[in-house]
Structures are given as structure tokens and as C-alpha cells.
Amino acid sequence: MTEKSPLLNYRLSTSTGSQPKDVPKPSRAKGGRDGKTTRKLGVVFGVVIPTLLSMFSVVVFLRIGFVVGQAGFYESIAMFLVAYLIITMTVLSVCAISTNGALDAGGAYYMISRALGPEFGGSIGIMFFLANVCGSALYVLGLVEAIMSTFGVPEEGAAVVAGPYQVLPSGYWWSLLYGTGLLLLCFTVCLVGASIYAKATFIIIIIVTTVLASIFISFFITGPMVVTLSGTSVLNSTGLTNASYTGLRLHTLEGNLLPNYTVDYTTHAMMSFATVFAVMFNGCTGIMAGSNMSGDLKNPSYSIPRGTLAAVLITFVTYNLLSLLVASSCERHLLQRDYGFLRDINIWPPMVTIGIYSSTVSAAMSNLIGASRILYALSKDDLFGGVLALARKTSHSGNPWASVLISWLFVQVVLFTGKLNTIAGIVTIFFLMVYAAVNLACLALEWASAPNFRPSFRCFTWHTCTLGILGCLVMMFLINAIYAFASIAFMLLLLMLIHYLGPISNWGYISQALIFHQVRKYLLMLDVRKDHVKFWRPQVLLMVANPRSCVGLMTFINDLKKSGLYVLGHVKLGLLDGLPSDPLQSHYNSWLSLVDHLNIKSFVNLTLAASVRHGVQNLLFITGFGGMRPNTLVLGFYDDCTPQDHLQGKILSSSGHGLDAVCPTTDPSEQQYPFFPSVRDVGEARDFQAEEYVSVIADAVKMGKNVALARYFNQFNREEALGSGRKIWAHRSRTGPFVDVWLLNLLQPDNHGYVDVCSLFLLQLTCVLHETRAWNQARLRLFLCVEAGCSLQEEEQTKLRVMLKELRISAQVQMVLWDKVVALHWRRQGRERDERSAQDEESREKQDVEDAEKEEDTQKFPNNVAQLTDEYICAVNNLIRQHGAPQPAVRFLYLPRPPADTSRYRAYLHQLDLLSQDLGPTLLIHGVTPVVTTDL
């Protein structure tokens, strides 16, 4: 991507959260009072120089001899290779993300938040801000210590005689005063703006480059000499020892090839590979300095990859060459006992001191301006509400002076600690966590295979991202396991706070892309040909006419699904012909808000059709994918009950739309119509007739779907049903509410069989409900209807108990005598036979043929409605109510299959109405698929 690319005139991710996520927003190119940043910096001044100065800190001047002296030349090179492998993997990820679209201020925070979402972005952003704050304080205090070692008056009790230049008073408060003054200098430079910072760093890089050049030249010019080691200022010891600088000699290199770990004279701690590596790695953690300037770069996508890679290559070559020269010219004793030996062997010793001061000041300024830019980006994204509102203030030129001021105050607070040895490790760990998060963001984008992830920088793969993540994590625990655990815990705490308290962003969530990728893969693996009855689970399509009146049913079916598929379906009457657009798209947000409000785990599927029947057919045909398709259709009952509005006054704002969100009308005189219309009034016409309702049931059965009709669930309150049941029965049997199950097809009294596909399906659904956490205290009651004196009574009861034992279902079986009820049915049959006997022979033969056809239909569709009387059905209804004490929370009844003759649909629905009259929440269920097995 070049600087003239037109793609950079548009922002791929909004930062204010106020614009639609699919609408590109113009890039901020000019400054002003509105907070837009003036972009002036290029590759060299904006990226290369800040990165070099952050990596060329005091480590290059004061710790390069320490690394070689302890680890030897071989292990030193190995350490640099491992460290630069880690940071190179991270740099590749940074380059990939930065070339995938226009960047705004915030650097690593902006990349992570736009890739991983606000939770990860905000938590990592806070940690990166704190790391930069502590890093700035660390460099300021390091500079104070370097100044005091040269110009400070020795403290009382020290055995060192003050030199001619040691005139500055020493002590905690004096050091704090010096640090405050130096920090004020850095603050002034950063407050002016990025341009003056770039000019200041340009001067400093010239100084540092000159110092490094003098150091390299000194190795070739300075001859052998004896260096006096003065450890009294550190150890309070009085002895002086000498060590040799041999110049470039092969035998000196041979003596420094292998490691020789000893006690560090500054900390009195025994060194090891891990401790030396941790110290050395501090000089490699400045790779994000250029990325932090993303809001001030003319073309971040062009400058960041080129500048960062160039800086990493330069520092890698410099460190390794310096290690080789040091190992070839200095004895091991000199390297281990005097970390400032470069001043002694330099052609002009003050040059190294100047280099230390310059690099430390630049590193402090780099961290301070980096912290301010991260804080400014966090404030713009409004992840913490009004807490960071002040940090949004900018100058006329667009410099976020308020963020710089706040960052300066934080650094000043940290300066009061006086010494930062205790937090130096966690500062490095914070940086490593940010690097790991950048690698994770790039890895997630790569794994998600998002079509819009098309970085122009292609020198990366998921392998490089993974190596970067693992390397950062290993380094974190290698440096300090306790700090690593603490920082991870702190990040998780921030993540949860932002997740629950932060606003919803429209940046796009990488988690959604990853979930889509994985779900698609596993859906393809979910082969319907491998389905087995042992692993059957209900997958429910609940048809909802108006969600205002179906709250109780929706919550109940959510319990009944048992981790299966749950889809809320709705049919809107109409045709797409003549409409400018799909009228259902604007309704999804309200339905999803309803799902969130009810705390149910369901999908939403809406359709437009000319009739309800055709709409349900469409949903049954197209809902789901592969092996995840609804196998059970649930319908509300067709009766004359007046619906009740259970959502009246409920306003939600979780997704930007409330349950009563409205569509504005063009005519101001008309009222605004809600997405969820008002419930049907008494006497108001329905959307479809009784015949169409039964046709929907018949269609579902023909399509191999199980059917459940839900009645009186407007009376169902989940909290009351479960809560009251526990209170009533806790002192008796420590069980919850009752769930009643009537396995027999009560509309076919001449059928004595209990074990068929439908009854087993009914039993399975009851067991599924009982296994859910909310209903596991419920008591199942199975009612077995028998005739007194029937020889099959004990046989049927024994058979049912054996079946329940084999199916591992715990239920209370109750025998119900229904002789009087069945007698009503057989009395009707006897009258019909007497009437037929009075007819002539020809009529009887004709009637016999018709009866044979009816019997065939009855066997095929077991509900010959013409044979049942209202008197019999009402008697069955009374029988159910008589055996319903205490009142169960819900009843399960056997639903007969609709008749084959469509002219009998009204009679069929009338009989269902009489059967379930005044029974409370009831499910009439018809199962067509085998769902239970006794096999292991």
C-alpha cells in the first residue's frame, strides 16, 4: 500500500461508536478544535527514531557487558536470537494489522480493540497505559541515578571521596526533586505536540548515534589498559581491584565464549540464564513506540511496517556487533564487576555519559507521549463512561494536551516510590502482555478467515502469530511468575468490568467471526445419517403470533429444550410484491431484545407469507442447517381466551431498540406503530380459521415433525410455579411442583395399549423437563387409566413400571378407574348398532362397507371423531381435574393425530377444546419419531 492509496482516505473502524459499522468514515487529516489530529510525521521521524530510542536505552550502554560477562558470547547471541524472534513475530503481526486499514490514535490499543472487541481492547489499553507510565518513571529515575553517580555528593558513611564535579546534594527528597524537574522537561516537550517531540528526538538520535559510533571506534583505537574497579559506591566496601582491557584479541574472545554465572555485585543475587535474559530483554521492549504515534503519522499503514522493521534490524545488528567486540576485548572480571566500563575505554569518556543521559530522556519522553495517546484513544471510545471525559480535550492543532497532563500526573505519582526495582519486572510483563494480545488479534483475524482482512503486508502466517504468543507468555513467567499471574488477573478483572459496564460498540467483534467459522465447520461435520436415538434431543420451533401474550410459554419451552435447538418463529401476512424492501429486517432487533430480556437461549426466524399455514410450512422447511433442524413444532392453542399483554411498559435498551420500539409514520397525524402490536381484543377476528389451524398440525405430522399444542400458558408464571411448589412441598417430601402425565390416548377409549411411539415421546419430553436444573425438584405423576375387574389391569401396570425402570425414569404411577367414563362411549356405540339393525339388508351391507372404511381410517388416523360424544369428552376432562390435586404446574396429554377427512377438522378441534378445558397450563403432544432406547 502506497502513500497515495485512496483507501487511506477512509476509516475502516469508527472510534466514537456513533456511526453504523458498515459506513466508512473519512480519515482525520487536518486538525482543529473538534479533536481531529494533525498528521505530519513520516517513516523516519514518526517510527524509526522513536523505536530506536526506546530500544537503545540504558541497556545498550550499561548492561551489554553484564550480559556477555555472565552468559558468555555463545549464550548472549542465543539470548538475542530468542528475544528478537519473539519481538519479530510481534512486529509481523503489528505490520499485518496496521496495513489492513487506516489507523487512528492509540497504537496497539487501537489495533487490539478493533480486532478483539472493546473488552480485550480496553483492558489491554489500560495495562499498556500503566506500562508506559511506569516505564517513563523508570527511565526518569534511572537518569537521576546516572546523574547522581557522576555529580552527586556521596552519602554519609560511604568510603568514596567526593570528586571535583560531585556537587549535587543527595537523598530521597533531592532525588525526587531532580526527577520532578526532568519529568517537567519531558512534559513540556510532549505538551507542545508531536512535532516538537519529533524534533527533540531527532537531536537525541544524532547524539546517541554519535556516542555509539565513538564506542565502536574506541574498540579499534584504544590500546590495552588496566581499569580500576570501584565497587564502594554500591557495596559500601573499601577495597579496589583492577581488571584488564586487552583490545581486540582472539584469546580474550576464547575466554568469554562460555557462560560463567556469578553473584551480581549490584543486587547480591546469583545470576542464571533466566535472570540475565530478563535484564537483556528490557532493551527489546520498545518496538511499539512507533505504533503509539499512529494518530500523528501521515500514513500509518505505510510508515509502521517499514519503520518498525528497520528499527528492529538496526538494533539487532548493533547489539550483536557490540557483544562480539566486548567479548573480544574485555576480560571476564571487568565485564562482571564494572557495568560502566564503556566510559573508561572510550576515546572521550564523557561521550558515554552524554549517551546515557540522552537515551534515557528520549525513552522517558517516548513512554510519556505513548501513554497520553493511549489514554486519549480510550477516552474517545468512551469505554469507561465519564471517567475519562477530561482526556478528550485537545488543542487547536489537535494535540491531546489533557491526556498528556493526566499522564504526567500519573508518572509524577510513581516517582514518589523513589526506586522502581520492585515494579521493573511487572512493567516488562505489561509490555509482553500487550505484545501477546497483538499476536492474538492477528491470529484471530487470520483464523476467522474474514473477507475484509486483506493486509497489504503478507509476511506472516498463523504460525508466526502463535510463536509470538507462546514466546511472550513464556517470557512473562520466566521473568517473574508472581507478577505474570497478577497482571493476568488484573487484565481479566478489567475485561469483566468493561464487559458488564461498558457500552456496546459497533467496531465488530472478532469472537463473532471465530464463532461463525467454527460453527460452520462443525455443522458440516454434523451428519444426519449418523443420528442415533440415544442422543436425541428436542429441537423446537415455537410459533409466536404476538410475543406480548406468549411470555410464559416462551420461558417454559426454554426449559423444555434441554440444550437443543430453540427457534422463535413468526409469520407476517403479506407478499413481497410491491414492497420496496423486506419489512421484517427492522423487526429483528426488537425480537432479539426480547430474547435478552427473557434470558432465553433461542434463535429468531421471521417469514413473510400469504397465509399462516404457508408461513409455518416455509419455516419448517428452511429453519436450521444440516443436523440442527427443528423436530418439534409448538403452537399456541386455538381458543377464545383473551390474550394478556405481559410486556406492557417494558422498555429495553440493550441493543438500541426497546420492546416497544416504534417505526415512525410519514403522516404526523397517525400514531407510531410498535413492532410488537397490541394484543387481540375480545371478538377481534383472527388471522386464520380453525380449519387452517388443524391443517398446520396435519402438515407438520406429514413432514415428520412432532407437534405440541400449548394451552393456558398465559396463566403460567415460572417463578411462582417453581417457587410455590418448593414452599408447599419442602416440609413434606423435599420436592417441587407436580408434573402430571396422561399417557393414554383419551380420545380413543377402545385402545388399551400404553406403549406406542407417541406415548414414549410424551414420556421423554416429561423426563427432559424434569432433568433441567429448575425442574429437577418436580415430582412426575403418571396416570394409568384402567377398567375395574379388567384382567389386563395388573399386567399393564407391571408393564409400565418395568418400562419406567428400563428407561431410568423416576415417577409416581397412579391407577385411575374410568369405567363410568368409558361406559358413556360404549353406550353411544350400542345405540348406533341398534339403529343399524332396523335397516334393511341392502342398507346394512352398504353400512358395513362404510364402517370398514372408517375402521381403516381410524387405524391409520387414530381419532375417529364421529364416534365420540361431547358427554364422554367432558367426563374425561372431569376425570383429569378430579385427579389433579394438588394442582400441577403443567400437564402433558396425548394429542391424537388429525383426521384424514378435512371436513372433520372443526369437530377435531372442538374435541381438543373440551378435553383440555380449564386444566391450567397443558401441553397436548403428538410424537412421530422414536426417542427412547434401553440399550447402553
Side-chain angles (χ1 to χ4, degrees):
M1 184 178 293
T2 63
E3 289 191 25
K4 298 180 180 180
S5 174
L7 289 176
L8 293 179
N9 293 327
Y10 299 96
R11 187 162 322 285
L12 299 185
S13 301
T14 61
S15 60
T16 61
S18 59
Q19 295 195 17
K21 61 184 177 181
D22 54 347
V23 178
K25 188 168 100 175
S27 177
R28 294 172 178 170
K30 295 182 180 181
R33 276 191 170 274
D34 55 358
K36 297 179 181 178
T37 305
T38 303
R39 299 176 180 266
K40 297 181 180 180
L41 303 180
V43 178
V44 177
F45 289 99
V47 182
V48 176
I49 292 178
T51 306
L52 283 176
L53 291 178
S54 295
M55 300 183 74
F56 280 152
S57 58
V58 294
V59 173
V60 71
F61 298 109
L62 296 179
R63 289 297 182 268
I64 193 69
F66 162 77
V67 174
V68 176
Q70 296 286 345
F73 178 69
Y74 287 156
E75 286 195 6
S76 298
I77 298 300
M79 288 181 183
F80 282 116
L81 289 175
V82 172
Y84 272 84
L85 175 65
I86 294 174
I87 65 173
T88 301
M89 299 301 101
T90 303
V91 168
L92 295 180
S93 299
V94 171
C95 295
I97 298 177
S98 64
T99 58
N100 191 52
L103 291 179
D104 206 341
Y109 158 71
Y110 190 86
M111 299 177 191
I112 297 171
S113 62
R114 269 48 177 185
L116 299 182
E119 293 93 345
F120 271 100
S123 57
I124 292 295
I126 290 293
M127 297 186 67
F128 201 19
F129 166 75
L130 295 177
N132 278 275
V133 165
C134 295
S136 180
L138 181 67
Y139 289 123
V140 169
L141 290 177
L143 178 57
V144 170
E145 292 179 2
I147 293 175
M148 294 302 295
S149 66
T150 305
F151 301 102
V153 176
E155 297 181 3
E156 295 183 4
V160 178
V161 179
Y165 303 106
Q166 294 178 298
V167 295
L168 295 178
S170 61
Y172 169 79
W173 292 106
W174 285 107
S175 297
L176 179 62
L177 178 62
Y178 303 147
T180 301
L182 293 171
L183 178 60
L184 187 61
L185 173 64
C186 298
F187 168 67
T188 303
V189 173
C190 296
L191 190 62
V192 174
S195 298
I196 188 65
Y197 165 74
K199 294 176 182 178
T201 55
F202 177 69
I203 297 174
I204 294 175
I205 194 64
I206 293 176
I207 297 174
V208 173
T209 303
T210 304
V211 174
L212 285 174
S214 71
I215 290 174
F216 279 106
I217 293 173
S218 298
F219 284 108
F220 295 93
I221 294 179
T222 305
M225 59 184 297
V226 177
V227 180
T228 301
L229 305 179
S230 177
T232 54
S233 61
V234 179
L235 296 175
N236 287 331
S237 61
T238 59
L240 299 177
T241 59
N242 298 326
S244 299
Y245 167 76
T246 64
L248 298 177
R249 296 290 186 272
L250 182 59
H251 70 86
T252 304
L253 176 62
E254 292 175 350
N256 290 325
L257 291 178
L258 299 178
N260 182 19
Y261 295 107
T262 60
V263 176
D264 177 25
Y265 76 91
T266 62
T267 62
H268 305 286
M270 184 65 188
M271 294 294 99
S272 64
F273 182 90
T275 55
V276 175
F277 188 69
V279 173
M280 182 275 301
F281 195 79
N282 280 277
C284 307
T285 57
I287 58 174
M288 301 298 292
S291 301
N292 290 341
M293 302 294 295
S294 58
D296 302 292
L297 300 175
K298 293 179 183 178
N299 191 337
S301 298
Y302 178 87
S303 302
I304 290 176
R306 290 161 176 79
T308 307
L309 287 173
V312 168
L313 180 61
I314 292 172
T315 56
F316 177 74
V317 173
T318 302
Y319 279 135
N320 283 276
L321 283 178
L322 198 56
S323 299
L324 177 61
L325 294 175
V326 168
S328 302
S329 60
C330 301
E331 289 185 347
R332 181 69 63 99
H333 191 60
L334 174 63
L335 299 178
Q336 292 179 344
R337 302 298 299 176
D338 188 0
Y339 298 153
F341 72 96
L342 290 176
R343 287 175 294 190
D344 299 322
I345 67 173
N346 198 270
I347 53 177
W348 188 47
M351 283 290 291
V352 176
T353 302
I354 295 173
I356 294 174
Y357 295 169
S358 301
S359 63
T360 308
V361 169
S362 67
M365 285 195 299
S366 176
N367 281 270
L368 179 59
I369 199 168
S372 66
R373 296 312 190 257
I374 296 169
L375 185 63
Y376 176 62
L378 285 166
S379 66
K380 285 198 306 178
D381 290 338
D382 198 27
L383 295 181
F384 298 92
V387 176
L388 300 179
L390 179 62
R392 300 194 192 105
K393 303 292 184 180
T394 59
S395 64
H396 288 278
S397 61
N399 184 43
W401 62 267
S403 297
V404 177
L405 178 63
I406 295 173
S407 302
W408 169 70
L409 292 175
F410 270 85
V411 177
Q412 183 62 55
V413 170
V414 178
L415 286 181
F416 279 95
T417 59
K419 299 291 183 180
L420 287 182
N421 294 335
T422 55
I423 65 169
I426 202 169
V427 171
T428 304
I429 288 174
F430 277 1
F431 279 111
L432 285 172
M433 286 201 68
V434 175
Y435 300 160
V438 171
N439 285 295
L440 178 62
C442 189
L443 178 65
L445 289 169
E446 179 71 10
W447 274 355
S449 301
N452 282 321
F453 183 59
R454 299 187 298 271
S456 57
F457 181 87
R458 297 302 305 173
C459 298
F460 77 99
T461 65
W462 69 269
H463 304 86
T464 62
C465 301
T466 305
L467 282 175
I469 295 173
L470 294 177
C472 291
L473 293 178
V474 170
M475 272 303 306
M476 286 171 54
F477 287 93
L478 189 64
I479 293 173
N480 193 307
I482 296 177
Y483 287 168
F485 277 116
S487 59
I488 292 174
F490 180 59
M491 185 200 72
L492 293 177
L493 176 62
L494 289 173
L495 190 148
M496 289 188 293
L497 287 176
I498 298 175
H499 176 74
Y500 289 107
L501 303 179
I504 295 178
S505 73
N506 56 5
W507 306 334
Y509 292 80
I510 189 62
S511 59
Q512 299 301 303
L514 290 172
I515 291 171
F516 177 88
H517 184 269
Q518 293 301 110
V519 167
R520 182 191 66 86
K521 180 175 72 175
Y522 286 112
L523 276 176
L524 292 173
M525 297 171 61
L526 191 60
D527 192 345
V528 294
R529 296 169 297 181
K530 299 179 181 179
D531 284 345
H532 194 278
V533 65
K534 288 191 299 184
F535 306 110
W536 179 91
R537 69 184 69 217
Q539 303 191 78
V540 182
L541 171 63
L542 171 62
M543 297 305 304
V544 179
N546 190 333
R548 293 182 179 275
S549 58
C550 299
V551 171
L553 179 58
M554 287 187 286
T555 56
F556 176 78
I557 299 299
N558 185 65
D559 290 334
L560 190 63
K561 70 181 188 304
K562 180 63 175 175
S563 70
L565 180 67
Y566 181 22
V567 181
L568 298 178
H570 174 72
V571 179
K572 182 176 178 61
L573 298 180
L575 295 175
L576 200 58
D577 299 342
L579 295 177
S581 62
D582 183 4
L584 298 176
Q585 293 303 317
S586 58
H587 292 209
Y588 273 97
N589 278 343
S590 289
W591 281 86
L592 294 176
S593 295
L594 175 67
V595 169
D596 294 337
H597 170 63
L598 298 179
N599 194 26
I600 60 178
K601 298 178 181 179
S602 69
F603 300 95
V604 175
N605 206 350
L606 312 180
T607 188
L608 188 69
S611 67
V612 175
R613 181 183 182 185
H614 289 155
V616 176
Q617 287 179 357
N618 293 340
L619 291 177
L620 288 174
F621 277 125
I622 67 174
T623 300
F625 291 96
M628 291 194 68
R629 292 183 177 275
N631 55 32
T632 304
L633 174 67
V634 180
L635 302 171
F637 199 79
Y638 193 95
D639 56 19
D640 295 326
C641 292
T642 303
Q644 300 177 9
D645 191 348
H646 297 284
L647 294 179
Q648 188 174 6
K650 301 278 187 180
I651 304 297
L652 303 182
S653 58
S654 60
S655 62
H657 293 279
L659 293 179
D660 291 324
V662 295
C663 295
T665 58
T666 56
D667 188 354
S669 63
E670 296 182 4
Q671 294 182 350
Q672 294 179 334
Y673 294 96
F675 286 157
F676 297 156
S678 301
V679 296
R680 176 172 51 87
D681 293 331
V682 179
E684 186 177 343
R686 297 175 179 272
D687 293 332
F688 64 131
Q689 300 300 318
E691 291 82 356
E692 186 179 6
Y693 176 81
V694 181
S695 297
V696 170
I697 302 174
D699 292 342
V701 174
K702 293 176 184 177
M703 297 171 66
K705 308 295 183 184
N706 310 295
V707 179
L709 307 183
R711 190 173 192 185
Y712 295 121
F713 273 88
N714 59 324
Q715 305 173 8
F716 178 79
N717 186 296
R718 186 173 182 271
E719 288 73 19
E720 293 181 1
L722 298 178
S724 62
R726 291 191 180 97
K727 292 178 181 178
I728 294 174
W729 295 99
H731 67 285
R732 296 185 183 178
S733 56
R734 296 183 181 179
T735 59
F738 284 110
V739 176
D740 288 359
V741 185
W742 295 76
L743 293 179
L744 181 66
N745 183 358
L746 298 174
L747 296 185
Q748 191 179 4
D750 51 346
N751 182 15
H752 297 285
Y754 279 87
V755 182
D756 60 11
V757 171
C758 185
S759 61
L760 290 177
F761 180 83
L762 188 69
L763 195 59
Q764 178 76 339
L765 275 192
T766 309
C767 184
V768 167
L769 178 66
H770 183 259
E771 288 179 356
T772 60
R773 180 177 301 178
W775 291 83
N776 59 6
Q777 296 297 322
R779 171 176 291 186
L780 305 185
R781 295 190 299 193
L782 269 60
F783 293 94
L784 185 63
C785 296
V786 297
E787 298 178 29
C790 177
S791 60
L792 297 179
Q793 177 177 346
E794 294 185 2
E795 180 182 346
E796 288 293 335
Q797 185 177 2
T798 302
K799 183 178 180 181
L800 181 59
R801 294 186 185 278
V802 171
M803 182 184 68
L804 292 176
K805 183 177 180 180
E806 291 179 347
L807 296 178
R808 291 87 59 200
I809 298 176
S810 176
Q812 174 186 348
V813 180
Q814 295 188 14
M815 308 302 295
V816 178
L817 300 178
W818 68 330
D819 302 67
K820 296 181 179 180
V821 176
V822 176
L824 297 175
H825 170 70
W826 291 117
R827 190 178 306 126
R828 164 71 182 272
Q829 299 299 312
R831 286 198 299 267
E832 290 182 352
R833 285 194 297 270
D834 292 340
E835 292 175 359
R836 285 200 304 271
S837 63
Q839 297 176 350
D840 55 64
E841 187 66 25
E842 183 178 354
S843 298
R844 283 199 302 270
E845 292 178 359
K846 183 178 180 180
Q847 186 68 33
D848 290 340
V849 174
E850 293 178 357
D851 288 344
E853 293 177 354
K854 290 180 181 180
E855 184 177 357
E856 183 180 354
D857 288 343
T858 301
Q859 294 175 356
K860 200 170 185 180
F861 301 95
N863 53 2
N864 192 350
V865 296
Q867 298 178 356
L868 302 177
T869 62
D870 291 353
E871 184 182 9
Y872 163 74
I873 300 174
C874 290
V876 172
N877 176 265
N878 290 327
L879 181 69
I880 296 174
R881 283 189 288 172
Q882 289 173 5
H883 290 80
Q887 178 70 23
V890 64
R891 285 186 174 91
F892 288 77
L893 301 183
Y894 191 116
L895 174 67
R897 183 169 181 165
D901 188 356
T902 57
S903 64
R904 297 178 179 176
Y905 278 2
R906 278 193 173 274
Y908 170 78
L909 187 57
H910 173 69
Q911 292 179 354
L912 295 181
D913 179 47
L914 293 178
L915 176 65
S916 58
Q917 190 75 37
D918 298 327
L919 292 183
T922 302
L923 277 182
L924 294 97
I925 299 172
H926 183 82
V928 297
T929 56
V931 293
V932 296
T933 179
T934 58
D935 296 334
L936 182 62

